[in-house]
Amino acid sequence: MLDRRHPGDAVPGDDLVQSRIFEAPAPTPHTRPLRTLPLLRALRQNPVATWTERHFEEPVLSGESILGKITVVSDPALIRHILVDNQANYPKDRLQHRVLSSGLGRGLLLAEGDTWRLQRRALAPLFSPRTVTGFEAAMADVAAELVARWDRQRDGRRIDVAFEMARTTLHVLARTIFSAGLGRRTEEFATAVTHYLEAMGKIDPLDILDMPTWIPRIGQLRARPALSFFDAVVTRMIDDRRRVLVDEPGSAPRDLLTLLLQARDPETGTGLSEDDVKANIVTFIAAGHETTSNTLTWALYLLSQDEQVRLRVEAEVDAALPDQRIVAGSLEKLPFTRAVIEETLRLYPPAATLTRDAAGPDMLGPLRIKAGSRIVISPWVLHRHKRLWEQPQAFDPDRFLPPRKASVDRFAYLPFGAGPRVCIGASFALQEAIVILATVLRAYRLTLCQGHSVMPIQRVSLRSQGGMPMLVRRRT
Ligand code: HEM
């Protein structure tokens, strides 16, 4: 536990107990870089366990390893240079392409150059503030169904919160992509998504060693059945929707599928091919499902460890949701709940590393960067960096409320990245996380099961190792 008080903070009724603050668990950084074999092992098992103490202290650190020369950048001004000012020189790296290409290859997340520009312009309206606000009711329905399901079960029982949140965020995507949801196929779809993310989640040593892509990767082979299943389900949904759009266009729902099929690049009028539509549906699910569910899992865990913060969120949601559910206008009344989500994304950023390969030579401050150099910007490192954050390990949502929020550097806080390739689903994800967290906390109080030790593990996104077993009790 650390001290909660900051210079100039006046906390009414502050006493010794209230001033204690929870320190969020993390692997202990190494005193020196790992040697080749332990590094390979750690990269496969848990990449966030490979960092050294110096990464959390230095603004820029270059080093040679089995991965070649890597420069880790944690200086906000240089990050701005890479992600915004000179972003054309820093496309996404080859390793990322190799690891994620199955299923996502043609989608927005991995596209580059003109293909990316066309898709980004065409897809922007799918995530405009107006469209995202329009999804609030679907998100509130899914959150209310979760609470209703818990209500039907024994009070005080043990659940795996990670599993429950994963199912819930998948339901949100099913409802917002295909408004009628997936019906009978939801459970089958959920299992296929889990298998897909599981298979893709571990970095294959062949990819680390840059071996030719014709050598089959175990993960990609394991992902194939799930991908064939998605393809069959999604193709059918697209065919059905196209028929509705032709026969009775007025009756087609305004969900992401209709918007994807109607998307046009405003500059050229070009739409997406059938394969691009499919790849983007898989991309939205892969990029938006586990990231958001892990955020919620970590938030519920952090709240279970800090009674003072939990009581403040409970007071806020009780006042904002008198009828137990989110309605129009509720979100504006939840600034502290939003701050809890933002602080959770700082401590446990689902996208723990962003990687780029320099296309041409460049200067990063005094450091000369050669063409082909690999650049790593790690939200995990950046968000716990000693130069950038006061008490970096402390769970302290007030950082994201005024007046302290104004001092958070835009390029020191990157849960959604920055620049042209910033997460297109950021406001969708934030809205969803707030709706679900508020609805759950309005009804339930969760406590961590005794004896479970919590540690983050990096897969496709940053999960909690061994799930998150908690006891759920109805609030009276
Ligand atoms: C808490 C939840 C989420 C987090 C932390 C997150 C994080 C990120 C980050 C860091 C990037 C940039 C990667 C880079 O620059 O290398 C990104 C890109 C992207 N995200 Fe998200 N994301 C979340 C939710 C979502 C959702 C809900 C969707 C869609 C429904 C989504 C779709 C995408 C797409 C398509 C891209 C690629 C954008 C482009 O390259 O133009 N994400 N996300």
Side-chain angles (χ1 to χ4, degrees), residues 83 92 96 108-109 116 120 127 173 256 283-284 287-289 291-292 295 345 350-351 354-356 414-418 420-426 428-429 432:
L83 295 182
K92 294 195 174 181
Q96 193 176 165
L108 186 66
L109 189 70
W116 170 79
R120 182 89 194 195
F127 295 95
L173 281 169
L256 288 171
T283 296
F284 295 162
H289 155 58
T291 43
T292 315
T295 307
L345 286 165
L354 312 179
T355 34
R356 302 290 193 262
L414 296 179
F416 296 106
R421 302 225 53 162
V422 70
C423 175
I424 201 168
F428 180 106
E432 178 185 357

Short mmCIF file of all heavy atoms in Angstrom, two decimals, residues 83 92 96 108-109 116 120 127 173 256 283-284 287-289 291-292 295 345 350-351 354-356 414-418 420-426 428-429 432, ligand 1:
data_model
loop_
_atom_site.label_atom_id
_atom_site.label_comp_id
_atom_site.label_asym_id
_atom_site.label_seq_id
_atom_site.Cartn_x
_atom_site.Cartn_y
_atom_site.Cartn_z
N LEU A 83 4.51 8.25 -33.92
CA LEU A 83 3.11 7.88 -34.21
C LEU A 83 2.33 8.95 -34.98
O LEU A 83 1.29 8.66 -35.56
CB LEU A 83 2.37 7.57 -32.91
CG LEU A 83 2.86 6.34 -32.13
CD1 LEU A 83 2.01 6.13 -30.89
CD2 LEU A 83 2.84 5.08 -32.99
N LYS A 92 3.54 -0.76 -39.28
CA LYS A 92 3.54 -1.85 -38.28
C LYS A 92 4.60 -2.89 -38.65
O LYS A 92 4.90 -3.10 -39.82
CB LYS A 92 2.16 -2.48 -38.22
CG LYS A 92 1.15 -1.47 -37.69
CD LYS A 92 -0.14 -2.10 -37.29
CE LYS A 92 -1.00 -1.02 -36.64
NZ LYS A 92 -2.28 -1.53 -36.17
N GLN A 96 4.34 -8.61 -36.03
CA GLN A 96 2.91 -8.45 -35.78
C GLN A 96 2.08 -8.99 -36.96
O GLN A 96 1.08 -9.67 -36.77
CB GLN A 96 2.66 -6.96 -35.60
CG GLN A 96 1.34 -6.59 -35.06
CD GLN A 96 1.25 -5.08 -34.82
OE1 GLN A 96 0.18 -4.60 -34.65
NE2 GLN A 96 2.33 -4.33 -34.81
N LEU A 108 -8.68 -3.82 -41.14
CA LEU A 108 -8.11 -2.50 -40.88
C LEU A 108 -6.86 -2.55 -39.98
O LEU A 108 -5.92 -1.79 -40.16
CB LEU A 108 -9.19 -1.62 -40.22
CG LEU A 108 -8.83 -0.17 -39.98
CD1 LEU A 108 -8.65 0.57 -41.29
CD2 LEU A 108 -9.92 0.53 -39.16
N LEU A 109 -6.85 -3.48 -39.01
CA LEU A 109 -5.76 -3.51 -38.03
C LEU A 109 -4.40 -3.73 -38.69
O LEU A 109 -3.40 -3.17 -38.26
CB LEU A 109 -6.04 -4.64 -37.03
CG LEU A 109 -5.15 -4.73 -35.81
CD1 LEU A 109 -5.41 -3.57 -34.86
CD2 LEU A 109 -5.38 -6.05 -35.07
N TRP A 116 -5.11 0.63 -46.40
CA TRP A 116 -5.50 1.08 -45.06
C TRP A 116 -6.29 2.40 -45.15
O TRP A 116 -7.34 2.54 -44.54
CB TRP A 116 -4.26 1.26 -44.16
CG TRP A 116 -4.65 1.95 -42.89
CD1 TRP A 116 -5.25 1.39 -41.80
CD2 TRP A 116 -4.52 3.35 -42.60
NE1 TRP A 116 -5.51 2.35 -40.85
CE2 TRP A 116 -5.08 3.56 -41.33
CE3 TRP A 116 -4.01 4.44 -43.30
CZ2 TRP A 116 -5.12 4.82 -40.72
CZ3 TRP A 116 -4.05 5.70 -42.70
CH2 TRP A 116 -4.60 5.88 -41.43
N ARG A 120 -9.93 2.91 -43.72
CA ARG A 120 -10.11 3.77 -42.54
C ARG A 120 -11.17 4.84 -42.85
O ARG A 120 -12.03 5.12 -42.03
CB ARG A 120 -8.77 4.41 -42.15
CG ARG A 120 -8.81 5.30 -40.93
CD ARG A 120 -8.57 4.52 -39.63
NE ARG A 120 -8.93 5.31 -38.47
CZ ARG A 120 -8.57 5.04 -37.23
NH1 ARG A 120 -7.85 3.99 -36.94
NH2 ARG A 120 -8.96 5.79 -36.24
N PHE A 127 -17.86 4.28 -36.45
CA PHE A 127 -17.47 4.55 -35.06
C PHE A 127 -17.58 6.03 -34.73
O PHE A 127 -16.91 6.51 -33.83
CB PHE A 127 -16.05 4.01 -34.81
CG PHE A 127 -15.98 2.51 -34.94
CD1 PHE A 127 -15.61 1.91 -36.13
CD2 PHE A 127 -16.35 1.70 -33.88
CE1 PHE A 127 -15.58 0.53 -36.26
CE2 PHE A 127 -16.31 0.32 -34.00
CZ PHE A 127 -15.93 -0.28 -35.19
N LEU A 173 -20.69 -7.36 -28.91
CA LEU A 173 -20.27 -7.31 -30.31
C LEU A 173 -21.30 -8.00 -31.20
O LEU A 173 -21.65 -7.50 -32.28
CB LEU A 173 -18.89 -7.93 -30.49
CG LEU A 173 -17.74 -7.01 -30.09
CD1 LEU A 173 -16.43 -7.78 -30.04
CD2 LEU A 173 -17.60 -5.84 -31.05
N LEU A 256 -23.56 -2.74 -37.29
CA LEU A 256 -22.26 -2.61 -37.96
C LEU A 256 -22.23 -3.36 -39.29
O LEU A 256 -21.56 -2.94 -40.22
CB LEU A 256 -21.13 -3.08 -37.04
CG LEU A 256 -20.81 -2.15 -35.86
CD1 LEU A 256 -19.83 -2.81 -34.90
CD2 LEU A 256 -20.23 -0.82 -36.33
N THR A 283 -11.84 -8.84 -37.45
CA THR A 283 -10.96 -7.86 -36.80
C THR A 283 -11.68 -7.19 -35.62
O THR A 283 -11.10 -7.07 -34.53
CB THR A 283 -10.53 -6.77 -37.81
OG1 THR A 283 -9.76 -7.40 -38.83
CG2 THR A 283 -9.69 -5.69 -37.15
N PHE A 284 -12.92 -6.77 -35.82
CA PHE A 284 -13.64 -6.11 -34.72
C PHE A 284 -13.76 -7.06 -33.52
O PHE A 284 -13.63 -6.65 -32.37
CB PHE A 284 -15.05 -5.65 -35.14
CG PHE A 284 -15.07 -4.59 -36.20
CD1 PHE A 284 -16.23 -4.34 -36.94
CD2 PHE A 284 -13.94 -3.82 -36.49
CE1 PHE A 284 -16.26 -3.37 -37.93
CE2 PHE A 284 -13.96 -2.85 -37.47
CZ PHE A 284 -15.12 -2.62 -38.21
N ALA A 287 -10.14 -7.60 -32.09
CA ALA A 287 -9.55 -6.39 -31.48
C ALA A 287 -10.42 -5.83 -30.36
O ALA A 287 -9.92 -5.13 -29.49
CB ALA A 287 -9.33 -5.31 -32.55
N GLY A 288 -11.73 -6.14 -30.39
CA GLY A 288 -12.61 -5.44 -29.47
C GLY A 288 -13.21 -6.29 -28.38
O GLY A 288 -13.83 -5.78 -27.46
N HIS A 289 -12.97 -7.62 -28.43
CA HIS A 289 -13.68 -8.49 -27.49
C HIS A 289 -12.86 -8.67 -26.21
O HIS A 289 -13.23 -8.17 -25.15
CB HIS A 289 -13.94 -9.80 -28.24
CG HIS A 289 -14.10 -11.00 -27.41
ND1 HIS A 289 -15.06 -11.10 -26.45
CD2 HIS A 289 -13.44 -12.19 -27.40
CE1 HIS A 289 -14.98 -12.27 -25.88
NE2 HIS A 289 -13.99 -12.95 -26.42
N THR A 291 -9.98 -7.32 -25.39
CA THR A 291 -9.43 -6.05 -24.86
C THR A 291 -10.41 -5.44 -23.86
O THR A 291 -10.03 -5.08 -22.74
CB THR A 291 -9.20 -5.06 -26.02
OG1 THR A 291 -10.34 -5.11 -26.89
CG2 THR A 291 -7.95 -5.34 -26.79
N THR A 292 -11.68 -5.38 -24.26
CA THR A 292 -12.67 -4.74 -23.38
C THR A 292 -13.00 -5.64 -22.18
O THR A 292 -13.15 -5.16 -21.06
CB THR A 292 -13.95 -4.39 -24.17
OG1 THR A 292 -13.56 -3.81 -25.41
CG2 THR A 292 -14.82 -3.41 -23.41
N THR A 295 -10.28 -5.33 -19.65
CA THR A 295 -10.37 -4.05 -18.94
C THR A 295 -11.37 -4.17 -17.80
O THR A 295 -11.11 -3.75 -16.66
CB THR A 295 -10.84 -2.94 -19.92
OG1 THR A 295 -9.98 -2.94 -21.05
CG2 THR A 295 -10.84 -1.57 -19.27
N LEU A 345 -6.98 1.09 -17.47
CA LEU A 345 -6.28 0.98 -18.76
C LEU A 345 -4.83 1.44 -18.65
O LEU A 345 -3.99 1.08 -19.46
CB LEU A 345 -7.01 1.81 -19.82
CG LEU A 345 -8.33 1.19 -20.34
CD1 LEU A 345 -9.15 2.24 -21.08
CD2 LEU A 345 -8.05 0.00 -21.25
N PRO A 350 -4.60 -3.32 -22.24
CA PRO A 350 -4.81 -4.58 -22.97
C PRO A 350 -3.83 -4.75 -24.12
O PRO A 350 -3.33 -5.85 -24.36
CB PRO A 350 -6.25 -4.46 -23.48
CG PRO A 350 -6.91 -3.54 -22.51
CD PRO A 350 -5.85 -2.55 -22.12
N ALA A 351 -3.54 -3.65 -24.85
CA ALA A 351 -2.52 -3.73 -25.91
C ALA A 351 -1.21 -3.28 -25.26
O ALA A 351 -0.91 -2.10 -25.18
CB ALA A 351 -2.89 -2.82 -27.07
N LEU A 354 3.19 -1.78 -28.67
CA LEU A 354 2.96 -1.35 -30.06
C LEU A 354 4.31 -1.42 -30.74
O LEU A 354 5.30 -0.92 -30.20
CB LEU A 354 2.43 0.09 -30.11
CG LEU A 354 1.28 0.45 -29.16
CD1 LEU A 354 0.90 1.92 -29.31
CD2 LEU A 354 0.07 -0.43 -29.43
N THR A 355 4.35 -2.06 -31.90
CA THR A 355 5.65 -2.22 -32.56
C THR A 355 5.62 -1.69 -33.98
O THR A 355 4.61 -1.80 -34.68
CB THR A 355 6.07 -3.70 -32.57
OG1 THR A 355 4.91 -4.50 -32.70
CG2 THR A 355 6.79 -4.10 -31.31
N ARG A 356 6.73 -1.12 -34.39
CA ARG A 356 6.86 -0.53 -35.72
C ARG A 356 8.25 -0.86 -36.28
O ARG A 356 9.20 -1.02 -35.51
CB ARG A 356 6.74 1.01 -35.65
CG ARG A 356 5.43 1.54 -35.04
CD ARG A 356 4.25 1.31 -35.97
NE ARG A 356 3.05 2.04 -35.60
CZ ARG A 356 2.04 1.51 -34.91
NH1 ARG A 356 2.09 0.27 -34.46
NH2 ARG A 356 0.96 2.23 -34.67
N LEU A 414 -1.21 5.72 -23.56
CA LEU A 414 -1.55 5.23 -24.89
C LEU A 414 -2.35 3.93 -24.90
O LEU A 414 -2.04 3.02 -25.66
CB LEU A 414 -0.26 5.00 -25.70
CG LEU A 414 0.61 6.20 -26.01
CD1 LEU A 414 1.84 5.74 -26.78
CD2 LEU A 414 -0.15 7.23 -26.84
N PRO A 415 -3.40 3.79 -24.07
CA PRO A 415 -4.11 2.51 -24.12
C PRO A 415 -4.71 2.24 -25.50
O PRO A 415 -4.84 1.08 -25.90
CB PRO A 415 -5.22 2.68 -23.07
CG PRO A 415 -5.38 4.14 -22.89
CD PRO A 415 -4.03 4.74 -23.15
N PHE A 416 -5.04 3.31 -26.23
CA PHE A 416 -5.63 3.12 -27.56
C PHE A 416 -4.67 3.55 -28.67
O PHE A 416 -5.08 3.74 -29.81
CB PHE A 416 -6.94 3.92 -27.66
CG PHE A 416 -8.00 3.44 -26.71
CD1 PHE A 416 -8.33 4.16 -25.58
CD2 PHE A 416 -8.66 2.24 -26.94
CE1 PHE A 416 -9.31 3.71 -24.70
CE2 PHE A 416 -9.64 1.77 -26.07
CZ PHE A 416 -9.96 2.51 -24.94
N GLY A 417 -3.39 3.73 -28.35
CA GLY A 417 -2.44 4.20 -29.35
C GLY A 417 -2.64 5.69 -29.59
O GLY A 417 -3.27 6.39 -28.79
N ALA A 418 -2.11 6.19 -30.72
CA ALA A 418 -2.24 7.61 -31.05
C ALA A 418 -1.94 7.79 -32.53
O ALA A 418 -1.38 6.90 -33.17
CB ALA A 418 -1.27 8.45 -30.21
N PRO A 420 -2.75 8.58 -36.69
CA PRO A 420 -3.72 8.07 -37.65
C PRO A 420 -4.17 6.64 -37.36
O PRO A 420 -5.28 6.25 -37.70
CB PRO A 420 -2.98 8.13 -38.99
CG PRO A 420 -1.82 9.01 -38.77
CD PRO A 420 -1.49 9.03 -37.32
N ARG A 421 -3.30 5.84 -36.70
CA ARG A 421 -3.67 4.44 -36.47
C ARG A 421 -4.22 4.22 -35.07
O ARG A 421 -4.27 3.08 -34.57
CB ARG A 421 -2.47 3.53 -36.73
CG ARG A 421 -1.96 3.72 -38.14
CD ARG A 421 -1.66 2.51 -38.89
NE ARG A 421 -2.65 1.48 -39.00
CZ ARG A 421 -2.62 0.53 -39.92
NH1 ARG A 421 -1.66 0.51 -40.80
NH2 ARG A 421 -3.54 -0.40 -39.97
N VAL A 422 -4.67 5.30 -34.44
CA VAL A 422 -5.29 5.17 -33.12
C VAL A 422 -6.48 4.22 -33.22
O VAL A 422 -7.09 4.09 -34.30
CB VAL A 422 -5.74 6.59 -32.65
CG1 VAL A 422 -6.91 7.12 -33.46
CG2 VAL A 422 -6.06 6.60 -31.16
N CYS A 423 -6.80 3.55 -32.12
CA CYS A 423 -7.89 2.57 -32.13
C CYS A 423 -9.17 3.21 -32.64
O CYS A 423 -9.64 4.20 -32.09
CB CYS A 423 -8.11 2.05 -30.71
SG CYS A 423 -9.52 0.94 -30.58
N ILE A 424 -9.75 2.61 -33.68
CA ILE A 424 -10.99 3.16 -34.24
C ILE A 424 -12.17 2.89 -33.28
O ILE A 424 -13.17 3.60 -33.31
CB ILE A 424 -11.25 2.57 -35.65
CG1 ILE A 424 -12.19 3.47 -36.44
CG2 ILE A 424 -11.78 1.15 -35.59
CD1 ILE A 424 -12.27 3.13 -37.94
N GLY A 425 -12.01 1.88 -32.42
CA GLY A 425 -13.12 1.50 -31.52
C GLY A 425 -12.98 2.08 -30.12
O GLY A 425 -13.68 1.63 -29.21
N ALA A 426 -12.11 3.10 -29.93
CA ALA A 426 -11.84 3.58 -28.56
C ALA A 426 -13.10 4.07 -27.85
O ALA A 426 -13.36 3.68 -26.70
CB ALA A 426 -10.78 4.69 -28.60
N PHE A 428 -16.20 3.42 -28.55
CA PHE A 428 -17.10 2.26 -28.41
C PHE A 428 -16.69 1.48 -27.14
O PHE A 428 -17.52 1.15 -26.30
CB PHE A 428 -16.95 1.40 -29.66
CG PHE A 428 -17.79 0.15 -29.73
CD1 PHE A 428 -18.89 0.11 -30.57
CD2 PHE A 428 -17.46 -0.99 -29.01
CE1 PHE A 428 -19.66 -1.05 -30.66
CE2 PHE A 428 -18.21 -2.13 -29.09
CZ PHE A 428 -19.33 -2.18 -29.93
N ALA A 429 -15.39 1.21 -27.02
CA ALA A 429 -14.90 0.39 -25.90
C ALA A 429 -15.10 1.09 -24.56
O ALA A 429 -15.52 0.47 -23.58
CB ALA A 429 -13.42 0.06 -26.11
N GLU A 432 -18.76 1.08 -23.67
CA GLU A 432 -19.17 -0.27 -23.28
C GLU A 432 -18.68 -0.61 -21.87
O GLU A 432 -19.43 -1.13 -21.04
CB GLU A 432 -18.60 -1.27 -24.30
CG GLU A 432 -18.92 -2.70 -23.98
CD GLU A 432 -18.24 -3.67 -24.94
OE1 GLU A 432 -17.57 -3.22 -25.90
OE2 GLU A 432 -18.39 -4.88 -24.74
C1 HEM B 1 -10.35 -1.49 -24.19
C2 HEM B 1 -10.51 -1.88 -25.44
C3 HEM B 1 -9.53 -1.61 -26.55
C4 HEM B 1 -8.20 -1.32 -26.50
C5 HEM B 1 -7.32 -1.15 -25.26
C6 HEM B 1 -7.73 -1.16 -27.86
C7 HEM B 1 -6.43 -0.82 -28.20
C8 HEM B 1 -6.02 -0.56 -29.50
C9 HEM B 1 -4.72 -0.04 -29.86
C10 HEM B 1 -3.59 0.27 -28.89
C11 HEM B 1 -4.69 0.11 -31.21
C12 HEM B 1 -3.53 0.68 -32.04
C13 HEM B 1 -2.50 -0.38 -32.33
C14 HEM B 1 -1.25 0.20 -32.96
O1 HEM B 1 -1.13 1.40 -33.15
O2 HEM B 1 -0.34 -0.60 -33.25
C15 HEM B 1 -5.97 -0.36 -31.71
C16 HEM B 1 -6.32 -0.39 -33.05
C17 HEM B 1 -7.53 -0.87 -33.50
N1 HEM B 1 -8.62 -1.24 -32.74
FE1 HEM B 1 -8.75 -1.20 -30.74
N2 HEM B 1 -8.78 -1.40 -28.70
C18 HEM B 1 -9.90 -1.66 -27.96
C19 HEM B 1 -11.19 -1.89 -28.42
C20 HEM B 1 -11.54 -1.96 -29.74
C21 HEM B 1 -12.87 -2.21 -30.25
C22 HEM B 1 -14.11 -2.36 -29.36
C23 HEM B 1 -12.79 -2.29 -31.60
C24 HEM B 1 -13.86 -2.52 -32.63
C25 HEM B 1 -15.09 -2.88 -32.39
C26 HEM B 1 -11.40 -2.06 -31.96
C27 HEM B 1 -10.90 -2.07 -33.24
C28 HEM B 1 -9.62 -1.66 -33.59
C29 HEM B 1 -9.16 -1.56 -34.96
C30 HEM B 1 -9.95 -1.94 -36.21
C31 HEM B 1 -7.85 -1.05 -34.91
C32 HEM B 1 -6.94 -0.74 -36.09
C33 HEM B 1 -7.10 0.74 -36.46
C34 HEM B 1 -6.19 1.17 -37.61
O3 HEM B 1 -5.08 0.66 -37.74
O4 HEM B 1 -6.62 2.06 -38.37
N3 HEM B 1 -10.66 -1.86 -30.81
N4 HEM B 1 -6.77 -0.73 -30.66
#
